[in-house]
Amino acid sequence: MALELITQEEISNMSEAEMLAWLKELDAMEETVAKRMQKEGFSMQGPSLTDIEQAYSSPEFIGFSDNMAQVDYPATVFEDKEDIDAVNKAYEKVTLLSKDASHQEKEDVYMPLYSALYSYIRRVNPLWGEGAKRLSIWASLQEEFRTVYTLTKKSAESFKKLIAPEEYEHIGEGNVYTLGSVRWRDGKETAAGVLIFSVFSPEDDSDEPVAKIDWLFVAEEFRGTHAADDLMAAMYDVINKSGIEAVTCEVPMKNMLPAMVCDFLSAWHIFFSLEPFEEFSSTVGEIAENEKLSGDITESVKVGSLKKMGADNFVKTVCAIMRAKGDKKYVLDNAASLDPELSLIAVSPSGKKAFLLIDHTPSGMLKVRAMGGDSASQKIFLDLIKYAVKRSHEVYEPQTQVFAHISSDSSAKLFDHLFPGHGLPMHLVGVNLSAQDDITPEIFDYFRFLYEQEK
C-alpha cells in the first residue's frame, strides 16, 4: 500500500467525503505497518490523535515548516556577499591589533571574526572540497587565536563536568576523538563545550570510514557564544584531513532535545529522519515485578558469575563459547567494566553453554552488553535473565537504571515476550554524506557563475 504525495492546497480543496476517505486510507496503512511489526516480533504503542494534533500545531513545528518553505537553496549557497563583507570587516580589526595586545583585547576582535566566518562556512557542505577550503581559513585563525583543543584523558579532566560518565570513560581509546572549546573568563581559559566522535573503519572495500558524533554539550553559561560551532568546525577539519566522507549521529526523542540539537546540526549539513531503535530501558525494581521473570531457574542448569569464576576463567569460557559458534577471532574486550555479580555463564545438563554480559557504567547504570551461546537451547537464556534479575534485586537499589540495545531478531522476540509493552523508542538519525563527485572550489566557482548568469 502506498500514498501519493499530497499538498496542503489539495487537502484544503477536499470535500468532507474525500477527506474521510483519505483519513481511512491513512488508518489502513498504519494498521498494515503495525501488523507487520508485530509479525516480526516488535510492539509499539502508537500516538493518539490528540498527540498528533498537538505535535503538528506546536510552535516549534510550525516555525520549522515556515522556515523550510522559504528556503531557496541556490540563494542560500551563493548569496554570500554580506557574509564575505562581514568577515573582511572583522578581519580588518584583527590586523590593527598590537603585538602587545592582551588576551581580552584579542578575544574582543577574534570572536566577531569567528562568528562571521561560521555563517560563511555553513553555506556549503563542510565535506565538499569548497567546504574544506573554507575550513582551512578557520584552521589558520586557530593558529593565531585558539578556541578549540584536542583533549587527552588527562587534559579532559578540566571538561569532566560537561561530559556524561559513560562517554568520559571512552576518552583516549584508539578510535575516539575528543574536542574541547574554551572561553576566556576571570583571567583564564574556561571549559565551554565538548564534542566526542568515534571513527569506524570500513568493513570492506565498498564501504567508507564514518565519523559518529557520540557527545555534544555546551555549558549553559556559554551558549550563544559559538562554542558548539567551534567544535563542529574542528571536527569537520579533522575528518576532512583524514579522508572521512560521512558523519552520523543519533538523537533520542525526549523533551526539547531534538528541536534544539537537530536544528543546530542541520546548519552543519547533518539532516535527520525519524527511525525506531530497538532499545529497552527500565529499572531493577520494575523488572523484578515482572511475573514472567519470577520463580527459580531450571534446577539442573548451573550458573556461574564472573565474581565466582574469576576474571581469567570467565573470559576464557566466553571466548570458547563464541569460537564454538564459529567466531574464531572473538575477543572479550574491556572485561574490567563488567558487573561481577550479573555477568554470568550458564551450563545445561547436556553441556550447552550461554553467557550474559552486563556492564556497570560509571554513572551506576546496568547496561546489557551481550548475550550469546547455543541458540538451540532458548530456555537457558531465560534462566540467565531470571538469575540476573533475582541477583540484581538483591544487590542494587530498585531505582537503578537498566538499559539494553536489542541487536538481533531472537533477542527482540525474547524481550518482546518478556516485556510486551516496552515498544520501540524513536530516535532522530542524522547523516551527512559527501557528494559522489566532489564539489571542488573550481566546480563551485563554475556553479556560482551559472547561478549569476541565470539571475
Side-chain angles (χ1 to χ4, degrees):
M1 180 181 295
L3 290 176
E4 297 293 330
L5 178 64
I6 188 166
T7 66
Q8 186 64 44
E9 182 180 0
E10 289 172 322
I11 293 175
S12 301
N13 292 332
M14 281 183 179
S15 67
E16 184 177 348
E18 289 173 331
M19 176 65 76
L20 289 173
W22 181 64
L23 291 174
K24 285 181 180 179
E25 190 175 359
L26 281 176
D27 288 340
M29 185 178 72
E30 182 181 3
E31 185 177 352
T32 300
V33 172
K35 287 181 178 178
R36 186 179 302 160
M37 291 176 68
Q38 291 174 0
K39 184 178 179 181
E40 293 175 354
F42 302 116
S43 67
M44 178 178 177
Q45 184 176 355
S48 67
L49 290 176
T50 302
D51 294 333
I52 295 173
E53 182 180 3
Q54 289 177 347
Y56 280 91
S57 61
S58 67
E60 293 81 14
F61 182 82
I62 293 172
F64 174 77
S65 299
D66 291 344
N67 290 335
M68 289 303 295
Q70 297 170 11
V71 169
D72 179 352
Y73 190 71
T76 301
V77 173
F78 295 118
E79 296 292 341
D80 53 10
K81 185 179 183 303
E82 289 187 6
D83 283 350
I84 294 172
D85 289 344
V87 170
N88 289 334
K89 185 177 180 180
Y91 188 69
E92 285 178 9
K93 294 182 179 180
V94 170
T95 62
L96 297 176
L97 278 173
S98 69
K99 293 182 180 179
D100 300 325
S102 67
H103 194 289
Q104 187 61 57
E105 289 173 328
K106 291 180 179 179
E107 186 173 44
D108 289 344
V109 294
Y110 271 100
M111 296 313 294
L113 174 56
Y114 278 122
S115 177
L117 188 60
Y118 289 135
S119 180
Y120 174 66
I121 290 173
R122 293 185 311 201
R123 285 183 178 272
V124 303
N125 193 325
L127 294 178
W128 293 353
E130 172 65 21
K133 175 186 174 184
R134 298 185 184 197
L135 283 169
S136 69
I137 301 172
W138 176 89
S140 65
L141 288 175
Q142 285 289 299
E143 296 299 320
E144 301 172 16
F145 186 83
R146 186 161 295 281
T147 60
V148 181
Y149 292 92
T150 300
L151 304 181
T152 62
K153 192 78 169 182
K154 183 176 181 181
S155 60
E157 291 180 3
S158 301
F159 294 79
K160 194 170 185 178
K161 64 180 181 179
L162 306 180
I163 308 171
E166 290 82 3
E167 300 298 339
Y168 189 83
E169 288 301 306
H170 292 300
I171 295 175
E173 293 180 5
N175 68 325
V176 177
Y177 297 81
T178 307
L179 303 167
S181 176
V182 297
R183 289 292 179 268
W184 193 257
R185 289 291 184 275
D186 301 323
K188 62 180 180 179
E189 286 185 331
T190 304
V194 176
L195 189 153
I196 301 175
F197 68 98
S198 305
V199 175
F200 298 93
S201 301
E203 296 184 359
D204 54 53
D205 294 338
S206 62
D207 290 335
E208 58 188 12
V210 174
K212 180 177 179 293
I213 299 175
D214 301 311
W215 182 258
L216 175 61
F217 185 83
V218 174
E220 188 170 352
E221 63 182 298
F222 295 110
R223 292 172 189 173
T225 68
H226 292 286
D229 285 319
D230 288 345
L231 297 166
M232 293 299 292
M235 181 196 71
Y236 273 116
D237 188 53
V238 169
I239 65 178
N240 277 336
K241 291 173 179 176
S242 303
I244 297 169
E245 299 179 347
V247 179
T248 68
C249 66
E250 299 160 3
V251 181
M253 290 292 292
K254 58 182 180 181
N255 303 324
M256 286 300 294
L257 179 67
M260 295 183 292
V261 175
C262 296
D263 180 59
F264 169 74
L265 292 176
S266 295
W268 282 94
H269 296 260
I270 297 174
F271 300 106
F272 292 85
S273 63
L274 192 62
E275 306 251 350
F277 265 55
E278 298 161 42
E279 292 178 350
F280 172 79
S281 181
S282 187
T283 65
V284 166
E286 289 172 351
I287 295 173
E289 294 174 358
N290 190 326
E291 293 183 359
K292 294 180 180 179
L293 294 173
S294 62
D296 297 326
I297 67 170
T298 306
E299 185 176 351
S300 56
V301 172
K302 305 301 180 184
V303 178
S305 67
L306 168 60
K307 182 178 181 179
K308 291 181 179 178
M309 296 177 64
D312 291 342
N313 190 24
F314 184 88
V315 170
K316 183 179 178 181
T317 304
V318 170
C319 291
I321 293 172
M322 291 302 294
R323 288 167 187 169
K325 289 190 64 177
D327 191 347
K328 303 300 182 183
K329 297 182 180 180
Y330 179 83
V331 177
L332 178 54
D333 294 320
N334 201 19
S337 71
L338 292 173
D339 187 284
E341 298 279 3
L342 306 180
S343 296
L344 309 168
I345 291 174
V347 184
S348 70
S350 62
K352 309 262 185 212
K353 295 181 180 179
F355 63 83
L356 175 64
L357 305 180
I358 297 181
D359 288 305
H360 190 177
T361 71
S363 66
M365 177 190 293
L366 297 174
K367 186 175 181 180
V368 180
R369 185 196 300 189
M371 185 167 61
D374 193 323
S375 58
S377 180
Q378 293 293 328
K379 183 67 170 65
I380 199 171
F381 291 120
L382 181 57
D383 283 330
L384 273 173
I385 295 174
K386 289 172 67 173
Y387 186 97
V389 169
K390 183 178 180 180
R391 190 72 185 115
S392 67
H393 196 232
E394 295 170 348
V395 175
Y396 292 104
E397 295 295 327
Q399 65 270 23
T400 303
Q401 293 290 316
V402 180
F403 173 85
H405 178 74
I406 306 168
S407 57
S408 68
D409 289 341
S410 58
S411 295
K413 290 175 181 177
L414 177 59
F415 271 84
D416 208 44
H417 168 71
L418 297 175
F419 307 96
H422 71 80
L424 293 175
M426 303 299 287
H427 283 220
L428 283 163
V429 179
V431 64
N432 180 7
L433 298 173
S434 59
Q436 187 171 3
D437 296 318
D438 187 22
I439 309 297
T440 64
E442 294 76 20
I443 293 175
F444 184 82
D445 288 342
Y446 176 67
F447 287 157
R448 185 193 291 274
F449 169 77
L450 294 178
Y451 173 76
E452 294 291 344
Q453 291 298 309
E454 289 180 5
K455 282 177 61 180

